[in-house]
């Protein structure tokens, strides 16, 4: 019989992942929801991508609601007059810009205060509507260059065009502050800048406790689509993401980093050690039973979305050398999304690997994810948590990983690590394992044993169940003192008090 969910409601807030995308982080969230049936989950995803049409996962009975919010784009034309903004919106924008440009120094307080004030402007889907945000950014930039700011790090030149571009991008991102969160006793934010902005606004408006899972690579990273932007605009975006992360670390009751790597990064960006509870990734061993090698033909597996930001280029560059060294080797790209199939096909054709590469959607049964290969090439994108690596280890396959982020601490000595951006080193390691069956089986067995010891789903569910209980449970009933109408004699201790205190026992 299914257990009855408790009255504690958890708002699980993501940035376009679970339950709408079948990616690594979506699988992690699904594990949490289905493993903690005693809690009622209100699922919310806030994204700046295209709005998903339907959930990609079936929703269990303890999910009360599931909503997706896509941040609206700017629809007003240049010639149309904007509504006059309230005075406090302009002041908040000025604070935000000043703190943004000194966020690496002592401006985190100003930045957070600006965010808080903007979040308090209720009933405004665009908190910066009518605010001359470009002018505020230019003014703050001039103050910094004049040496009046607290951060002495030199800034690149900011043109008026750069300021307009940066202001447009930040105005769009800050729309997340207007998203209304469902009623819940706890907000659990999993993801990047966009969902964290919505979580912070909910925290400031309602006082609901915030649990933050730090599962991704450093937040202020540059995205591939931003390569064409000017250095000044990239600086604004990087500092904005760092500022939002710092604000999240300051406001969250608890922060649960996914690894020592994420733990250290959070500390460097202002998280208090007492608020950090490290909870490694975990998978269900029953989903990855460690099947034997199915084919004698050499094969390599890589799991990822296949997008421009997924590590695909390095894999294909390395596989050119692998195919030349071990003829007949097949590369299986597992988990390629429909949106990225064309991009993958173009990259494969450009590399001349059309006959040796197979594209596979993410299989419904996890058992089929890694069984096609003899070696797993773990080349993550910069935003990927180590969830796929743990899956590969649990599958019992030998793993060659790129030494970025938490890969080294997760894999330990049970696999091979190569430097980042070195396709030849990756190819050499893969070829060595393809030619040495005994060694790859030894490494595969060791990797599975390590995953069984440190990265099982029951540990994740147990720890998060305790965190939810601590943060979402109602406060204890207030204690009342018994007030006597007639004061007790001062010379003699009442018998009940003597018994409670252990006197004369």
């Amino acid at each position: 019989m299914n257990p009855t969910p408790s009255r504690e409601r958890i708002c699980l807030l993501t940035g376009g992942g679970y339950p709408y995308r079948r990616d690594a982080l979506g699988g992690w969230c699904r594990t949490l929801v289905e493993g903690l049936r005693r809690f009622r989950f209100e699922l919310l995803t806030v994204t700046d991508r295209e709005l998903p049409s339907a959930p990609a996962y079936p929703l269990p009975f303890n999910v009360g609601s599931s909503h997706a919010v896509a941040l609206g784009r700017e629809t007003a034309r240049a010639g149309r007059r904007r509504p006059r903004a309230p005075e406090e919106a302009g002041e908040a924008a000025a604070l935000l810009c000043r703190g943004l440009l000194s966020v690496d120094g002592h401006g985190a307080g100003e930045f957070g205060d600006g965010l808080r004030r903007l979040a308090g402007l209720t009933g405004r889907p665009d908190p910066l509507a009518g605010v001359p945000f470009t002018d505020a950014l230019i003014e703050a930039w001039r103050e910094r260059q004049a040496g009046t700011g607290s951060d002495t790090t030199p800034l690149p030149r900011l043109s008026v065009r750069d300021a307009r571009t940066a202001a447009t991008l930040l105005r769009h991102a800050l729309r997340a502050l207007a998203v209304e969160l469902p009623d819940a006793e706890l907000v659990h934010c999993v993801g990047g800048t966009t969902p964290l902005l919505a979580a912070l606004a909910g925290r400031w408006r309602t006082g609901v406790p915030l649990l933050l899972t730090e599962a991704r690579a450093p937040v202020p990273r540059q995205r591939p689509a931003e390569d064409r932007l000017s250095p000044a605009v990239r600086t604004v975006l990087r500092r904005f993401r760092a500022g939002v992360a710092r604000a999240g670390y300051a406001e969250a009751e608890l922060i649960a980093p996914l690894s020592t790597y994420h733990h250290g990064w959070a500390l460097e960006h202002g998280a208090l050690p007492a608020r950090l509870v490290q909870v490694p990734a975990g998978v269900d061993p029953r989903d990855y039973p460690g099947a034997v090698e199915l084919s004698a033909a050499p094969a390599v597996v890589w799991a990822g979305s296949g997008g421009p930001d997924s590590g695909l280029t390095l894999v294909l560059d390395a596989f050119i050398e692998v195919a030349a060294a071990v003829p007949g080797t097949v590369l299986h790209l597992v988990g390629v999304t429909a949106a990225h199939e064309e991009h993958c096909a173009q990259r494969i054709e450009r590399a001349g690997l059309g006959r040796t590469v197979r594209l596979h959607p993410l299989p419904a049964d996890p058992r089929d994810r890694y069984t096609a290969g003899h070696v797993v090439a773990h080349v993550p994108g910069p935003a990927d948590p180590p969830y796929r690596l743990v899956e590969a280890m649990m599958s019992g396959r030998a793993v060659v990983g790129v030494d970025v982020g938490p890969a080294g601490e997760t894999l330990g000595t049970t696999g091979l690590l190569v430097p980042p951006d070195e396709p030849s080193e990756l190819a050499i390691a893969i070829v060595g394992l393809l030619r040495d069956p005994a060694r790859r089986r030894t490494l595969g067995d060791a990797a599975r044993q390590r995953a069984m010891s440190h990265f099982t789903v029951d540990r994740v569910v147990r720890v998060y169940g305790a965190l939810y209980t601590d943060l979402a449970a109602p406060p204890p009933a207030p204690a009342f003192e018994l007030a006597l109408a007639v004061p007790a004699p001062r010379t003699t201790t009442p018998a009940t008090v003597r018994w409670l205190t252990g006197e004369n026992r």
Side-chain angles (χ1 to χ4, degrees):
M1 184 176 179
N2 290 330
T4 302
S6 67
R7 62 192 181 97
E8 284 84 19
R9 294 164 299 173
I10 311 298
C11 172
L12 185 60
L13 179 56
T14 65
Y18 180 79
Y20 297 98
R21 294 181 62 201
R22 294 174 60 85
D23 57 7
L25 205 55
W28 182 88
C29 292
R30 180 191 184 189
T31 294
L32 207 60
V33 172
E34 295 187 353
L36 291 171
R37 298 292 181 105
R38 67 184 185 275
F39 294 96
R40 179 183 177 90
F41 284 90
E42 312 294 338
L43 306 180
L44 176 64
T45 182
V46 183
T47 179
D48 53 8
R49 307 173 188 173
E50 184 180 353
L51 193 65
S53 57
Y57 294 101
L59 301 179
F61 75 96
N62 59 326
V63 172
S65 63
S66 179
H67 298 288
V69 177
L71 302 183
R73 296 287 179 181
E74 179 64 61
T75 57
R77 297 181 180 179
R80 186 178 300 175
R81 295 186 61 184
R82 294 180 179 272
R84 183 176 179 84
E87 183 178 348
E88 55 265 30
E91 295 173 354
L95 271 176
L96 184 77
C97 291
R98 288 199 300 268
L100 174 74
L101 298 180
S102 58
V103 75
D104 293 334
H106 302 288
E110 284 185 313
F111 182 88
D113 193 16
L115 277 183
R116 183 192 290 265
R117 293 191 185 190
L118 288 175
L121 300 175
T122 57
R124 293 169 58 87
D126 182 356
L128 291 173
V131 175
F133 196 43
T134 300
D135 296 341
L137 186 58
I138 292 175
E139 180 62 26
W141 202 279
R142 288 173 178 168
E143 289 181 5
R144 271 278 287 106
Q145 288 183 324
T148 58
S150 58
D151 186 358
T152 58
T153 306
L155 293 175
R157 177 181 175 273
L158 178 76
S159 66
V160 174
R161 181 179 180 180
D162 291 338
R164 288 174 179 167
T165 301
T168 299
L169 293 173
L170 294 193
R171 186 189 301 274
H172 173 69
L174 289 167
R175 288 172 179 262
L177 293 173
V179 174
E180 292 293 333
L181 304 189
D183 291 336
E185 280 70 48
L186 173 67
V187 172
H188 181 188
C189 180
V190 183
T193 303
T194 300
L196 183 52
L197 282 169
L200 284 170
R203 162 76 174 157
W204 289 325
R205 284 196 290 262
T206 66
V208 63
L210 173 61
L211 171 62
L212 175 60
T213 290
E214 190 54 81
R216 295 180 178 269
V219 175
R221 65 184 179 86
Q222 179 181 322
R223 299 171 183 173
E226 296 169 3
D227 290 340
R228 65 181 182 273
L229 299 176
S230 71
V233 177
R234 293 201 300 267
T235 296
V236 171
L237 295 179
R238 184 176 64 251
R239 287 175 172 245
F240 176 74
R241 292 170 188 147
V244 174
R246 287 178 179 272
Y249 294 151
E251 291 292 336
E253 271 72 16
L254 283 176
I255 305 145
L258 211 60
S259 65
T260 302
Y261 170 80
H262 294 102
H263 187 281
W265 195 86
L267 286 176
E268 291 175 8
H269 289 76
L272 297 177
R275 296 185 184 180
L276 291 167
V277 180
Q278 187 172 321
V279 188
V283 300
D284 191 338
R286 296 171 297 181
D287 290 339
Y288 304 92
V292 298
E293 296 175 355
L294 301 179
S295 172
V300 179
V301 171
W302 173 80
S305 69
D309 199 18
S310 64
L312 176 67
T313 300
L314 181 60
V315 174
L316 295 178
D317 289 345
F319 190 71
I320 294 174
E321 301 182 34
V322 172
V326 186
T329 304
V330 176
L331 173 63
H332 297 275
L333 304 180
V334 180
V336 176
T337 62
H340 295 138
E341 283 183 1
E342 184 177 352
H343 170 77
C344 287
Q346 291 175 352
R347 296 292 306 174
I348 293 167
E349 189 66 27
R350 198 175 305 160
L353 298 170
R355 297 184 177 180
T356 58
V357 181
R358 309 284 188 270
L359 296 180
H360 307 274
L362 197 64
D365 189 346
R367 298 167 188 262
D368 300 329
R369 194 163 296 170
Y370 302 98
T371 52
H374 299 87
V375 176
V376 175
H378 179 69
V379 186
D384 293 340
Y387 194 81
R388 289 279 185 257
L389 178 55
V390 174
E391 289 179 348
M393 293 167 63
M394 192 67 79
S395 72
R397 291 294 187 264
V399 179
V400 178
V402 175
D403 193 9
V404 294
E409 65 177 278
T410 304
L411 192 57
T413 60
T414 65
L416 304 181
L417 287 173
V418 299
D421 301 320
E422 294 287 347
S424 294
E425 293 293 329
L426 179 62
I428 290 170
I430 292 173
V431 169
L433 289 179
L434 289 176
R435 290 174 173 172
D436 192 344
R439 187 185 182 203
R440 71 170 180 258
R441 288 166 188 161
T442 299
L443 286 176
D445 291 342
R448 178 170 172 79
Q449 185 59 46
R450 178 174 174 81
M452 293 283 289
S453 300
H454 301 285
F455 304 110
T456 54
V457 69
D458 61 315
R459 292 189 173 200
V460 177
V461 169
R462 185 170 63 251
V463 173
Y464 271 99
L467 297 182
Y468 284 176
T469 299
D470 288 345
L471 295 176
F480 297 95
E481 275 189 34
L482 181 61
L484 298 179
V486 179
R490 295 178 183 234
T491 56
T492 305
T493 305
T496 52
V497 177
R498 287 200 303 270
W499 181 84
L500 288 172
T501 60
E503 187 177 321
N504 297 327
R505 293 181 64 183

